[in-house]
Amino acid sequence: MSRVCSFGKLFCTVGKIKYLIIAFVVVIPLGVVGYFLSNYLDSKAALLVESEPSSIVYLDGKQVGKTPYEGELDEREVTLKLVPESFDVPLLPYETKVSLTKGVRTVVRRKLGDSRQTSSGEIISFEHIGGDSANVSVITTPDGSEVFFDSGEKEFSPARFTSVSNTSHDLEVKAQGYLSRKFEVLAESGYNLTAIVELPRDPDYKPDEELKTDESNDNNKNEKDKIDKVTIMETPTGFLRVRSGPNVTNDEVGRVTPGKEYEVLSVDKDTGWYEISFDDESGWVTDAYATPSAKTSE
């Protein structure tokens, strides 16, 4: 009888040891997997794409799904293309380049129209600046639009709001002759949030209401035609992007440094942007951060 009890105790002891071994083998690796999984996710960038109407999403020429689309990708610049699924009215596809940042979600929202003038949307991206500060920059089409941050005082784009709180903020963008857009952005410490906003034309706006403004703008544009050189002003990022065309939606072809002077090749009469010569190349910079430094003699 005592021998049976000994075997019983031994069995119980072995059972406990076996249980502990199983726990060690199963639980510990799961913890290790969780650790590596967490680090893996932190190294990824998130992309959210929404559109109206629903559209097919292409990334770098590869179809990845339909809107609303959300995915995790490596940190890099991707070419995003949206092809609308609507067959009632022919709508214009949308294509742009988006820079993805690891650990951050980039948001692209687009309302597709039958032309560029009737299309609209925003791209919300982040740039790491370090420190505890959170900043918000707003770039718009058309340039010089009215920007309201948390219903505060009116600013004009490109606008920058510094040392804002780490919470949701309301952004509203307005311009004469365009439909306004209003949405929320979430600021993050150590990052500069950039909202690139494109407004659609207001179909009910009467062009003759712009006659006086246009006349004044024409005078300004005639003055711009005489400009030989421009000096780059200070920017929120410490540099100014040079683009392939006179619009924030055009591809970036280079960067120029604030304080330096560049030769003006031409001026776009619709946007006021300057085409400049830089590093044996040419490209366009916004007149919001470029000021005339020399004019042709008459």
Side-chain angles (χ1 to χ4, degrees):
M1 181 70 65
S2 59
R3 185 177 297 177
V4 173
C5 291
S6 297
F7 277 109
K9 291 178 181 178
L10 179 62
F11 177 78
C12 292
T13 303
V14 170
K16 291 179 181 178
I17 293 174
K18 186 187 295 185
Y19 176 80
L20 291 173
I21 292 174
I22 292 173
F24 180 80
V25 170
V26 174
V27 175
I28 297 303
L30 285 178
V32 173
V33 170
Y35 171 80
F36 284 110
L37 182 61
S38 173
N39 280 270
Y40 169 79
L41 292 177
D42 287 343
S43 69
K44 291 291 184 178
L47 174 65
L48 172 64
V49 184
E50 300 175 333
S51 72
E52 182 185 336
S54 177
S55 303
I56 301 172
V57 180
Y58 294 85
L59 293 178
D60 293 331
K62 181 181 178 181
Q63 183 176 334
V64 295
K66 298 180 180 180
T67 56
Y69 167 82
E70 189 162 13
E72 290 179 351
L73 305 162
D74 293 329
E75 182 178 53
R76 67 181 194 275
E77 183 180 69
V78 298
T79 298
L80 168 68
K81 184 176 182 179
L82 300 179
V83 178
E85 291 190 296
S86 174
F87 298 102
D88 298 332
V89 178
L91 300 177
L92 190 69
Y94 173 68
E95 185 171 331
T96 189
K97 290 186 181 294
V98 180
S99 295
L100 302 177
T101 303
K102 65 181 180 180
V104 174
R105 183 173 72 166
T106 298
V107 180
V108 179
R109 301 190 186 100
R110 193 73 185 172
K111 186 173 183 180
L112 300 165
D114 57 1
S115 67
R116 194 60 185 259
Q117 288 71 34
T118 58
S119 302
S120 61
E122 59 262 2
I123 300 175
I124 301 170
S125 59
F126 293 81
E127 184 173 8
H128 188 258
I129 56 175
D132 299 325
S133 174
N135 301 332
V136 175
S137 299
V138 184
I139 301 171
T140 67
T141 300
D143 197 29
S145 298
E146 298 175 357
V147 179
F148 298 88
F149 186 78
D150 286 338
S151 302
E153 292 185 8
K154 177 172 62 179
E155 302 282 347
F156 293 94
S157 70
R160 188 171 186 242
F161 307 91
T162 59
S163 301
V164 302
S165 59
N166 294 340
T167 185
S168 293
H169 299 275
D170 291 327
L171 264 181
E172 186 173 12
V173 179
K174 298 179 178 180
Q176 188 177 36
Y178 293 80
L179 299 176
S180 63
R181 286 189 71 84
K182 187 175 183 179
F183 54 93
E184 286 187 350
V185 294
L186 180 61
E188 186 76 25
S189 291
Y191 286 90
N192 182 80
L193 181 154
T194 299
I196 300 176
V197 186
E198 187 174 346
L199 299 180
R201 281 281 188 179
D202 183 356
D204 297 326
Y205 185 73
K206 301 296 186 294
D208 57 343
E209 296 176 13
E210 290 183 306
L211 288 178
K212 291 183 180 179
T213 303
D214 287 345
E215 191 174 317
S216 174
N217 288 340
D218 286 340
N219 291 332
N220 291 333
K221 287 166 185 172
N222 289 335
E223 286 297 315
K224 279 190 172 183
D225 288 338
K226 305 170 186 175
I227 296 171
D228 275 345
K229 295 180 180 180
V230 291
T231 300
I232 306 304
M233 302 162 60
E234 291 297 325
T235 68
T237 57
F239 58 84
L240 182 62
R241 291 181 172 85
V242 183
R243 299 189 179 274
S244 60
N247 196 293
V248 293
T249 58
N250 289 112
D251 293 339
E252 179 181 330
V253 295
R255 296 178 179 184
V256 289
T257 306
K260 289 192 174 182
E261 191 178 64
Y262 297 91
E263 179 187 357
V264 174
L265 302 178
S266 64
V267 180
D268 184 75
K269 293 185 178 181
D270 293 325
T271 63
W273 282 41
Y274 297 105
E275 183 184 17
I276 63 170
S277 174
F278 73 105
D279 299 334
D280 296 324
E281 297 183 36
S282 64
W284 295 84
V285 294
T286 174
D287 58 339
Y289 286 107
T291 183
S293 52
K295 293 185 178 182
T296 56
S297 57
E298 296 183 359

